[in-house]
Amino acid sequence: MPITKKPAADFPMRGADAIGIREVGFWSVLIVAIAFWANIVRGTGPAELPGVDSMAAGVLENGAFDVFAWILVFARAARMFEAGPASWRRISATFLVGVIALAPVRLAAGVAFVILGGSLLWDRRALAAGRQVGLVLLALAFETVWTSRFLAQPHLLAGQGDAKITAFLLGLLHTEAASHANIVDNLSANFSISVWPYCASSFPLAGVGLAFLVMLLYLDQAPRRRHLVWLGMSFIGSFLLTEVRLVLLATSQASYFWWHNGPGVSIYAVAALALAVVFPILATWETGTAGTPPGDRLVA
Amino acid sequence: MKTLLRCGFVALIVLSVAIQLTHGRRGSADSDPLAALAAGLERLNVRTGRPAAGDILTGHAPSCQQPLQAMLLRIDGADDGRMRGLRPDGGAARYIYLGAVTEQPNRAVILGRWVEASVLFTVGLRATRPQSLLVLVVLPRACPDLAALEWATLSPAD
């Protein structure tokens, strides 16, 4: 006997004055996006409103892939649902995420992303674009939590491991070095660095995951289990890049300033960006060759 | 109904931007930490002059003829090289951060305190964002009684 799934009661709006579900979906994305970016660009000075420079710096510091992710979200926001009137449940959910995102804490936006993203994945009326937006919002929520101050302590612990690895790598380069807690002492150069939570190898991993997902979606690929291997390789690549950066930072004070505040920052950012792009492309390339044989090839 | 709902969505957006920008102006660190340090030394009855090279403050306590030195250092140790500007025969050092005074800069402990204070600030249980600068005071060897001053006031816990 076939099992039929009883549709959940959606209580759609009736009448000519009913608002469309596509419009409500777009409003929900717009509300959480503005709350998210307002939190990022707001000023931290005691008296003045944020200037254009600090706003731009806030956006750039947040990472290029957050910008790409939101471009992708808005490119799909108008076609997340099939046409029709919005349900009261969808309208209530939009107001709920809007009220949660009012809290002036970045984590509030993360909670709003989880509710909105989860509801998009779960909604029967959501189209493929809606489910993609849902996935991206969940990845943004994970990144928001992962990089929050609440998880600074675990990143600090990861930084202790990074300090040990950096000292070990410096030793391989015939540089006398030691580590204690989060400190790497370059004894040869009489110089030391401290690995902060934001510099630990664990810190960028959520961003790497988001970048991987966004690239997959830009390449019109649905996330699949076999992509997990490539995602794991992205994580390993990010980890290795962080360790190389820490070794360069700990080499000498001049090297520290070059890699921490000088042109080295851009070089590191480009290398991280390249890694984030390469692995999803390799993942989709593998999918393409295995899944869709060329027209002139026969399958035995 | 449609218009009412749209007005509600727009109101949420406007309210959200207003709250975020207002929160951003909430009390944070001092805009001029060196001036705040000089003011803190004055409260301890230590007269200070203009900062020397490397932003090192030199002060005189009434009970001691030898000068003391004070400076701000990043807690991640990035500008520890500036300590070379201190007197080579410097006496006892005091590292002051968020109400704690130590004789050695234990970076791991300091970072832990910064993380704790940052979390408290984020959840609203702390009024000000913790500074990423610690205060280093070098006391002259000739005046050991200066160690008894309330140096913690230079970087208060709250």
Side-chain angles (χ1 to χ4, degrees):
Chain A
M1 184 180 168
I3 299 169
T4 52
K5 204 173 175 181
K6 194 180 174 184
D10 261 356
F11 307 112
M13 289 182 82
R14 306 276 180 208
D17 204 26
I19 194 167
I21 190 168
R22 285 188 166 179
E23 182 182 342
V24 172
F26 187 83
W27 277 112
S28 60
V29 168
L30 187 66
I31 289 168
V32 294
I34 288 178
F36 177 79
W37 286 108
N39 185 283
I40 286 170
V41 303
R42 75 174 184 212
T44 52
E48 75 285 357
L49 284 170
V52 175
D53 289 354
S54 67
M55 284 184 182
V59 172
L60 291 176
E61 276 172 20
N62 210 55
F65 272 96
D66 274 23
V67 178
F68 291 154
W70 281 105
I71 291 171
L72 187 138
V73 165
F74 276 103
R76 287 156 171 73
R79 49 189 172 90
M80 294 193 298
F81 295 99
E82 57 195 36
S87 64
W88 284 109
R89 180 181 291 172
R90 174 57 53 190
I91 293 168
S92 309
T94 301
F95 276 108
L96 176 66
V97 296
V99 168
I100 290 172
L102 285 180
V105 181
R106 199 165 166 190
L107 272 183
V111 173
F113 292 162
V114 169
I115 294 173
L116 186 56
S119 74
L120 285 170
L121 289 179
W122 176 74
D123 198 312
R124 288 176 299 112
R125 295 171 69 186
L127 301 174
R131 284 191 290 278
Q132 289 181 358
V133 169
L135 275 176
V136 172
L137 289 177
L138 288 179
L140 280 166
F142 183 67
E143 190 198 25
T144 303
V145 174
W146 188 256
T147 56
S148 74
R149 288 166 192 264
F150 296 98
L151 287 187
Q153 201 68 43
H155 292 311
L156 206 58
L157 289 175
Q160 291 186 12
D162 291 330
K164 284 189 174 66
I165 293 169
T166 305
F168 173 73
L169 292 175
L170 283 169
L172 292 182
L173 297 170
H174 306 293
T175 303
E176 198 181 347
S179 74
H180 55 97
N182 288 62
I183 318 290
V184 182
D185 282 323
N186 183 337
L187 303 170
S188 300
N190 194 21
F191 176 67
S192 64
I193 63 164
S194 178
V195 185
W196 276 48
Y198 305 133
C199 301
S201 58
S202 57
F203 192 79
L205 294 184
V208 169
L210 173 70
F212 191 90
L213 176 67
V214 169
M215 275 302 294
L216 274 188
L217 296 180
Y218 268 117
L219 294 167
D220 277 333
Q221 294 283 322
R224 299 193 187 286
R225 192 169 293 174
R226 62 172 166 269
H227 291 146
L228 287 176
V229 176
W230 290 101
L231 178 63
M233 291 175 77
S234 286
F235 288 155
I236 292 169
S238 168
F239 170 79
L240 292 176
L241 186 66
T242 303
E243 301 307 334
V244 168
R245 177 175 179 258
L246 289 174
V247 167
L248 292 168
L249 288 173
T251 302
S252 68
Q253 196 168 37
S255 176
Y256 175 90
F257 283 119
W258 203 84
W259 285 101
H260 198 263
N261 305 334
V265 176
S266 304
I267 294 173
Y268 172 73
V270 169
L273 205 63
L275 272 183
V277 169
V278 162
F279 284 106
I281 289 176
L282 288 174
T284 53
W285 175 76
E286 188 195 43
T287 306
T289 51
T292 53
D296 59 348
R297 185 191 300 166
L298 297 177
V299 179
Chain B
M1 177 56 78
K2 200 188 285 188
T3 310
L4 196 65
L5 288 172
R6 284 174 183 158
C7 286
F9 295 146
V10 172
L12 273 177
I13 290 173
V14 171
L15 207 57
S16 157
V17 172
I19 288 175
Q20 297 290 352
L21 294 184
T22 310
H23 182 78
R25 294 161 72 187
R26 192 154 67 90
S28 66
D30 293 307
S31 53
D32 186 353
L34 200 62
L37 173 60
L41 288 168
E42 295 287 345
R43 282 197 298 276
L44 293 173
N45 209 15
V46 175
R47 284 181 295 107
T48 56
R50 291 168 65 87
D55 285 343
I56 298 171
L57 283 170
T58 303
H60 289 273
S63 61
C64 182
Q65 287 194 332
Q66 298 286 322
L68 61 83
Q69 290 180 304
M71 68 188 303
L72 293 162
L73 293 171
R74 280 174 51 170
I75 60 174
D76 61 353
D79 54 3
D80 279 2
R82 287 174 50 225
M83 282 196 284
R84 293 187 195 119
L86 293 170
R87 275 197 324 273
D89 60 339
R94 293 288 182 275
Y95 293 86
I96 306 138
Y97 187 65
L98 294 182
V101 184
T102 56
E103 294 179 16
Q104 296 293 329
N106 190 335
R107 301 282 183 200
V109 172
I110 288 171
L111 282 174
R113 290 175 64 80
W114 174 81
V115 167
E116 184 187 346
S118 298
V119 170
L120 290 176
F121 172 75
T122 304
V123 297
L125 294 175
R126 183 186 158 87
T128 55
R129 189 188 297 273
Q131 285 209 7
S132 53
L133 297 169
L134 64 85
V135 177
L136 167 61
V137 178
V138 182
L139 306 173
R141 285 187 195 281
C143 308
D145 56 310
L146 288 182
L149 287 178
E150 282 293 322
W151 295 112
T153 59
L154 296 180
S155 178
D158 293 319

mmCIF file of all heavy atoms in Angstrom, chain B residues 22-58:
data_model
loop_
_atom_site.group_PDB
_atom_site.id
_atom_site.type_symbol
_atom_site.label_atom_id
_atom_site.label_comp_id
_atom_site.label_asym_id
_atom_site.label_seq_id
_atom_site.Cartn_x
_atom_site.Cartn_y
_atom_site.Cartn_z
ATOM 1 N N THR B 22 23.533 52.270 16.445
ATOM 2 C CA THR B 22 23.537 52.819 17.802
ATOM 3 C C THR B 22 24.427 51.977 18.703
ATOM 4 O O THR B 22 25.195 52.496 19.508
ATOM 5 C CB THR B 22 22.108 52.826 18.376
ATOM 6 O OG1 THR B 22 21.258 53.420 17.422
ATOM 7 C CG2 THR B 22 22.046 53.613 19.666
ATOM 8 N N HIS B 23 24.354 50.652 18.540
ATOM 9 C CA HIS B 23 25.166 49.760 19.366
ATOM 10 C C HIS B 23 26.645 49.975 19.091
ATOM 11 O O HIS B 23 27.471 49.887 19.981
ATOM 12 C CB HIS B 23 24.794 48.302 19.099
ATOM 13 C CG HIS B 23 25.550 47.327 19.949
ATOM 14 N ND1 HIS B 23 25.222 47.104 21.255
ATOM 15 C CD2 HIS B 23 26.623 46.557 19.683
ATOM 16 C CE1 HIS B 23 26.060 46.210 21.764
ATOM 17 N NE2 HIS B 23 26.913 45.861 20.833
ATOM 18 N N GLY B 24 26.971 50.274 17.829
ATOM 19 C CA GLY B 24 28.371 50.486 17.461
ATOM 20 C C GLY B 24 28.982 51.654 18.188
ATOM 21 O O GLY B 24 30.189 51.729 18.373
ATOM 22 N N ARG B 25 28.131 52.593 18.629
ATOM 23 C CA ARG B 25 28.661 53.777 19.303
ATOM 24 C C ARG B 25 28.727 53.577 20.812
ATOM 25 O O ARG B 25 29.083 54.476 21.545
ATOM 26 C CB ARG B 25 27.776 54.973 18.972
ATOM 27 C CG ARG B 25 27.838 55.333 17.512
ATOM 28 C CD ARG B 25 26.672 56.158 17.100
ATOM 29 N NE ARG B 25 26.769 57.514 17.630
ATOM 30 C CZ ARG B 25 25.791 58.414 17.525
ATOM 31 N NH1 ARG B 25 24.676 58.082 16.924
ATOM 32 N NH2 ARG B 25 25.935 59.614 18.025
ATOM 33 N N ARG B 26 28.321 52.376 21.265
ATOM 34 C CA ARG B 26 28.371 52.121 22.695
ATOM 35 C C ARG B 26 29.825 52.171 23.174
ATOM 36 O O ARG B 26 30.747 51.904 22.419
ATOM 37 C CB ARG B 26 27.792 50.718 22.969
ATOM 38 C CG ARG B 26 27.530 50.437 24.416
ATOM 39 C CD ARG B 26 26.426 49.389 24.504
ATOM 40 N NE ARG B 26 26.845 48.102 23.996
ATOM 41 C CZ ARG B 26 27.407 47.169 24.745
ATOM 42 N NH1 ARG B 26 27.672 47.382 26.001
ATOM 43 N NH2 ARG B 26 27.719 46.006 24.230
ATOM 44 N N GLY B 27 30.005 52.510 24.444
ATOM 45 C CA GLY B 27 31.338 52.727 25.009
ATOM 46 C C GLY B 27 32.331 51.647 24.643
ATOM 47 O O GLY B 27 32.102 50.484 24.902
ATOM 48 N N SER B 28 33.416 52.033 24.047
ATOM 49 C CA SER B 28 34.462 51.058 23.742
ATOM 50 C C SER B 28 35.762 51.579 24.350
ATOM 51 O O SER B 28 35.754 52.304 25.322
ATOM 52 C CB SER B 28 34.575 50.850 22.229
ATOM 53 O OG SER B 28 35.021 52.009 21.628
ATOM 54 N N ALA B 29 36.860 51.221 23.756
ATOM 55 C CA ALA B 29 38.153 51.581 24.343
ATOM 56 C C ALA B 29 38.375 53.090 24.267
ATOM 57 O O ALA B 29 37.723 53.797 23.515
ATOM 58 C CB ALA B 29 39.249 50.851 23.587
ATOM 59 N N ASP B 30 39.326 53.568 25.067
ATOM 60 C CA ASP B 30 39.672 54.983 25.019
ATOM 61 C C ASP B 30 40.197 55.327 23.637
ATOM 62 O O ASP B 30 40.938 54.568 23.029
ATOM 63 C CB ASP B 30 40.760 55.282 26.054
ATOM 64 C CG ASP B 30 40.243 55.104 27.460
ATOM 65 O OD1 ASP B 30 39.222 55.703 27.778
ATOM 66 O OD2 ASP B 30 40.871 54.337 28.223
ATOM 67 N N SER B 31 39.848 56.542 23.181
ATOM 68 C CA SER B 31 40.291 56.916 21.842
ATOM 69 C C SER B 31 41.792 57.222 21.851
ATOM 70 O O SER B 31 42.465 57.057 20.854
ATOM 71 C CB SER B 31 39.504 58.121 21.344
ATOM 72 O OG SER B 31 39.582 59.162 22.290
ATOM 73 N N ASP B 32 42.336 57.675 22.976
ATOM 74 C CA ASP B 32 43.771 57.935 23.073
ATOM 75 C C ASP B 32 44.304 57.189 24.297
ATOM 76 O O ASP B 32 44.333 57.729 25.409
ATOM 77 C CB ASP B 32 44.021 59.443 23.188
ATOM 78 C CG ASP B 32 45.511 59.762 23.148
ATOM 79 O OD1 ASP B 32 46.319 58.813 23.173
ATOM 80 O OD2 ASP B 32 45.856 60.953 23.107
ATOM 81 N N PRO B 33 44.718 55.944 24.105
ATOM 82 C CA PRO B 33 45.139 55.137 25.261
ATOM 83 C C PRO B 33 46.355 55.701 25.976
ATOM 84 O O PRO B 33 46.474 55.555 27.193
ATOM 85 C CB PRO B 33 45.442 53.758 24.668
ATOM 86 C CG PRO B 33 45.290 53.865 23.213
ATOM 87 C CD PRO B 33 44.733 55.185 22.862
ATOM 88 N N LEU B 34 47.254 56.377 25.229
ATOM 89 C CA LEU B 34 48.444 56.932 25.873
ATOM 90 C C LEU B 34 48.058 58.080 26.821
ATOM 91 O O LEU B 34 48.602 58.192 27.930
ATOM 92 C CB LEU B 34 49.432 57.421 24.810
ATOM 93 C CG LEU B 34 50.878 57.581 25.276
ATOM 94 C CD1 LEU B 34 51.458 56.247 25.717
ATOM 95 C CD2 LEU B 34 51.734 58.189 24.188
ATOM 96 N N ALA B 35 47.089 58.895 26.390
ATOM 97 C CA ALA B 35 46.607 59.976 27.259
ATOM 98 C C ALA B 35 45.922 59.388 28.495
ATOM 99 O O ALA B 35 46.065 59.913 29.609
ATOM 100 C CB ALA B 35 45.645 60.869 26.494
ATOM 101 N N ALA B 36 45.196 58.285 28.281
ATOM 102 C CA ALA B 36 44.525 57.637 29.413
ATOM 103 C C ALA B 36 45.561 57.082 30.390
ATOM 104 O O ALA B 36 45.362 57.131 31.611
ATOM 105 C CB ALA B 36 43.616 56.520 28.905
ATOM 106 N N LEU B 37 46.680 56.560 29.847
ATOM 107 C CA LEU B 37 47.747 56.041 30.713
ATOM 108 C C LEU B 37 48.377 57.184 31.530
ATOM 109 O O LEU B 37 48.608 57.043 32.742
ATOM 110 C CB LEU B 37 48.807 55.343 29.860
ATOM 111 C CG LEU B 37 50.076 54.878 30.584
ATOM 112 C CD1 LEU B 37 49.731 53.881 31.688
ATOM 113 C CD2 LEU B 37 51.063 54.239 29.593
ATOM 114 N N ALA B 38 48.625 58.315 30.852
ATOM 115 C CA ALA B 38 49.198 59.467 31.558
ATOM 116 C C ALA B 38 48.255 59.935 32.660
ATOM 117 O O ALA B 38 48.688 60.243 33.782
ATOM 118 C CB ALA B 38 49.460 60.593 30.563
ATOM 119 N N ALA B 39 46.949 59.950 32.359
ATOM 120 C CA ALA B 39 45.963 60.370 33.363
ATOM 121 C C ALA B 39 45.950 59.392 34.540
ATOM 122 O O ALA B 39 45.829 59.804 35.709
ATOM 123 C CB ALA B 39 44.585 60.451 32.725
ATOM 124 N N GLY B 40 46.105 58.093 34.231
ATOM 125 C CA GLY B 40 46.138 57.080 35.290
ATOM 126 C C GLY B 40 47.348 57.254 36.196
ATOM 127 O O GLY B 40 47.253 57.117 37.424
ATOM 128 N N LEU B 41 48.491 57.588 35.591
ATOM 129 C CA LEU B 41 49.702 57.827 36.394
ATOM 130 C C LEU B 41 49.527 59.056 37.287
ATOM 131 O O LEU B 41 49.971 59.070 38.437
ATOM 132 C CB LEU B 41 50.914 57.998 35.468
ATOM 133 C CG LEU B 41 51.402 56.721 34.780
ATOM 134 C CD1 LEU B 41 52.409 57.047 33.678
ATOM 135 C CD2 LEU B 41 52.025 55.770 35.794
ATOM 136 N N GLU B 42 48.873 60.077 36.748
ATOM 137 C CA GLU B 42 48.617 61.285 37.551
ATOM 138 C C GLU B 42 47.756 60.933 38.767
ATOM 139 O O GLU B 42 47.976 61.457 39.858
ATOM 140 C CB GLU B 42 47.911 62.347 36.696
ATOM 141 C CG GLU B 42 48.738 62.885 35.537
ATOM 142 C CD GLU B 42 49.856 63.820 35.988
ATOM 143 O OE1 GLU B 42 49.823 64.284 37.142
ATOM 144 O OE2 GLU B 42 50.779 64.059 35.174
ATOM 145 N N ARG B 43 46.782 60.029 38.552
ATOM 146 C CA ARG B 43 45.922 59.628 39.680
ATOM 147 C C ARG B 43 46.733 58.919 40.767
ATOM 148 O O ARG B 43 46.370 58.930 41.934
ATOM 149 C CB ARG B 43 44.786 58.715 39.187
ATOM 150 C CG ARG B 43 43.651 59.456 38.503
ATOM 151 C CD ARG B 43 42.398 58.584 38.411
ATOM 152 N NE ARG B 43 42.627 57.385 37.626
ATOM 153 C CZ ARG B 43 42.543 57.345 36.292
ATOM 154 N NH1 ARG B 43 42.240 58.436 35.613
ATOM 155 N NH2 ARG B 43 42.761 56.229 35.633
ATOM 156 N N LEU B 44 47.835 58.269 40.356
ATOM 157 C CA LEU B 44 48.710 57.603 41.330
ATOM 158 C C LEU B 44 49.761 58.581 41.872
ATOM 159 O O LEU B 44 50.738 58.161 42.495
ATOM 160 C CB LEU B 44 49.408 56.401 40.666
ATOM 161 C CG LEU B 44 48.506 55.235 40.273
ATOM 162 C CD1 LEU B 44 49.292 54.193 39.472
ATOM 163 C CD2 LEU B 44 47.884 54.588 41.503
ATOM 164 N N ASN B 45 49.557 59.852 41.576
ATOM 165 C CA ASN B 45 50.448 60.910 42.041
ATOM 166 C C ASN B 45 51.839 60.813 41.394
ATOM 167 O O ASN B 45 52.856 61.111 42.009
ATOM 168 C CB ASN B 45 50.579 60.866 43.570
ATOM 169 C CG ASN B 45 50.854 62.243 44.146
ATOM 170 O OD1 ASN B 45 50.676 63.250 43.438
ATOM 171 N ND2 ASN B 45 51.302 62.295 45.382
ATOM 172 N N VAL B 46 51.854 60.350 40.165
ATOM 173 C CA VAL B 46 53.105 60.288 39.394
ATOM 174 C C VAL B 46 53.015 61.350 38.300
ATOM 175 O O VAL B 46 52.135 61.283 37.440
ATOM 176 C CB VAL B 46 53.302 58.887 38.755
ATOM 177 C CG1 VAL B 46 54.541 58.881 37.862
ATOM 178 C CG2 VAL B 46 53.416 57.826 39.831
ATOM 179 N N ARG B 47 53.916 62.329 38.357
ATOM 180 C CA ARG B 47 53.900 63.405 37.360
ATOM 181 C C ARG B 47 54.578 62.904 36.088
ATOM 182 O O ARG B 47 55.648 62.294 36.146
ATOM 183 C CB ARG B 47 54.610 64.649 37.889
ATOM 184 C CG ARG B 47 53.774 65.439 38.902
ATOM 185 C CD ARG B 47 54.510 66.676 39.391
ATOM 186 N NE ARG B 47 55.705 66.354 40.155
ATOM 187 C CZ ARG B 47 56.956 66.501 39.714
ATOM 188 N NH1 ARG B 47 57.181 66.948 38.496
ATOM 189 N NH2 ARG B 47 57.979 66.180 40.462
ATOM 190 N N THR B 48 53.928 63.157 34.962
ATOM 191 C CA THR B 48 54.496 62.688 33.688
ATOM 192 C C THR B 48 54.760 63.873 32.777
ATOM 193 O O THR B 48 54.083 64.912 32.870
ATOM 194 C CB THR B 48 53.531 61.728 32.958
ATOM 195 O OG1 THR B 48 52.281 62.376 32.775
ATOM 196 C CG2 THR B 48 53.347 60.446 33.733
ATOM 197 N N GLY B 49 55.722 63.687 31.873
ATOM 198 C CA GLY B 49 55.999 64.710 30.865
ATOM 199 C C GLY B 49 55.466 64.240 29.528
ATOM 200 O O GLY B 49 54.603 63.359 29.449
ATOM 201 N N ARG B 50 56.003 64.839 28.459
ATOM 202 C CA ARG B 50 55.589 64.424 27.114
ATOM 203 C C ARG B 50 56.185 63.046 26.810
ATOM 204 O O ARG B 50 57.296 62.745 27.250
ATOM 205 C CB ARG B 50 56.093 65.428 26.085
ATOM 206 C CG ARG B 50 55.386 66.789 26.170
ATOM 207 C CD ARG B 50 56.141 67.803 25.343
ATOM 208 N NE ARG B 50 56.116 67.471 23.924
ATOM 209 C CZ ARG B 50 55.135 67.851 23.110
ATOM 210 N NH1 ARG B 50 54.143 68.567 23.552
ATOM 211 N NH2 ARG B 50 55.173 67.523 21.831
ATOM 212 N N PRO B 51 55.469 62.230 26.061
ATOM 213 C CA PRO B 51 56.023 60.913 25.730
ATOM 214 C C PRO B 51 57.317 61.028 24.912
ATOM 215 O O PRO B 51 57.394 61.876 24.021
ATOM 216 C CB PRO B 51 54.931 60.242 24.906
ATOM 217 C CG PRO B 51 53.755 61.148 24.929
ATOM 218 C CD PRO B 51 54.156 62.462 25.494
ATOM 219 N N ALA B 52 58.301 60.194 25.256
ATOM 220 C CA ALA B 52 59.556 60.185 24.502
ATOM 221 C C ALA B 52 59.394 59.314 23.262
ATOM 222 O O ALA B 52 58.296 58.833 22.964
ATOM 223 C CB ALA B 52 60.657 59.644 25.407
ATOM 224 N N ALA B 53 60.508 59.114 22.538
ATOM 225 C CA ALA B 53 60.482 58.273 21.340
ATOM 226 C C ALA B 53 59.956 56.889 21.701
ATOM 227 O O ALA B 53 60.261 56.370 22.774
ATOM 228 C CB ALA B 53 61.883 58.168 20.776
ATOM 229 N N GLY B 54 59.170 56.318 20.828
ATOM 230 C CA GLY B 54 58.599 54.998 21.093
ATOM 231 C C GLY B 54 57.428 55.077 22.050
ATOM 232 O O GLY B 54 57.014 54.072 22.615
ATOM 233 N N ASP B 55 56.866 56.292 22.228
ATOM 234 C CA ASP B 55 55.709 56.487 23.108
ATOM 235 C C ASP B 55 55.970 55.974 24.515
ATOM 236 O O ASP B 55 55.127 55.304 25.123
ATOM 237 C CB ASP B 55 54.451 55.810 22.519
ATOM 238 C CG ASP B 55 53.885 56.622 21.362
ATOM 239 O OD1 ASP B 55 54.257 57.804 21.239
ATOM 240 O OD2 ASP B 55 53.082 56.069 20.589
ATOM 241 N N ILE B 56 57.172 56.261 25.028
ATOM 242 C CA ILE B 56 57.508 55.882 26.403
ATOM 243 C C ILE B 56 57.278 57.096 27.303
ATOM 244 O O ILE B 56 57.815 58.181 27.053
ATOM 245 C CB ILE B 56 58.972 55.408 26.502
ATOM 246 C CG1 ILE B 56 59.167 54.173 25.626
ATOM 247 C CG2 ILE B 56 59.344 55.108 27.954
ATOM 248 C CD1 ILE B 56 60.613 53.749 25.488
ATOM 249 N N LEU B 57 56.450 56.898 28.309
ATOM 250 C CA LEU B 57 56.184 57.981 29.264
ATOM 251 C C LEU B 57 57.188 57.889 30.405
ATOM 252 O O LEU B 57 57.462 56.799 30.908
ATOM 253 C CB LEU B 57 54.775 57.838 29.838
ATOM 254 C CG LEU B 57 53.594 58.266 28.956
ATOM 255 C CD1 LEU B 57 52.288 57.829 29.604
ATOM 256 C CD2 LEU B 57 53.592 59.767 28.749
ATOM 257 N N THR B 58 57.723 59.025 30.803
ATOM 258 C CA THR B 58 58.620 59.073 31.961
ATOM 259 C C THR B 58 57.899 59.848 33.064
ATOM 260 O O THR B 58 57.342 60.916 32.800
ATOM 261 C CB THR B 58 59.941 59.768 31.594
ATOM 262 O OG1 THR B 58 60.527 59.051 30.498
ATOM 263 C CG2 THR B 58 60.906 59.760 32.771
#
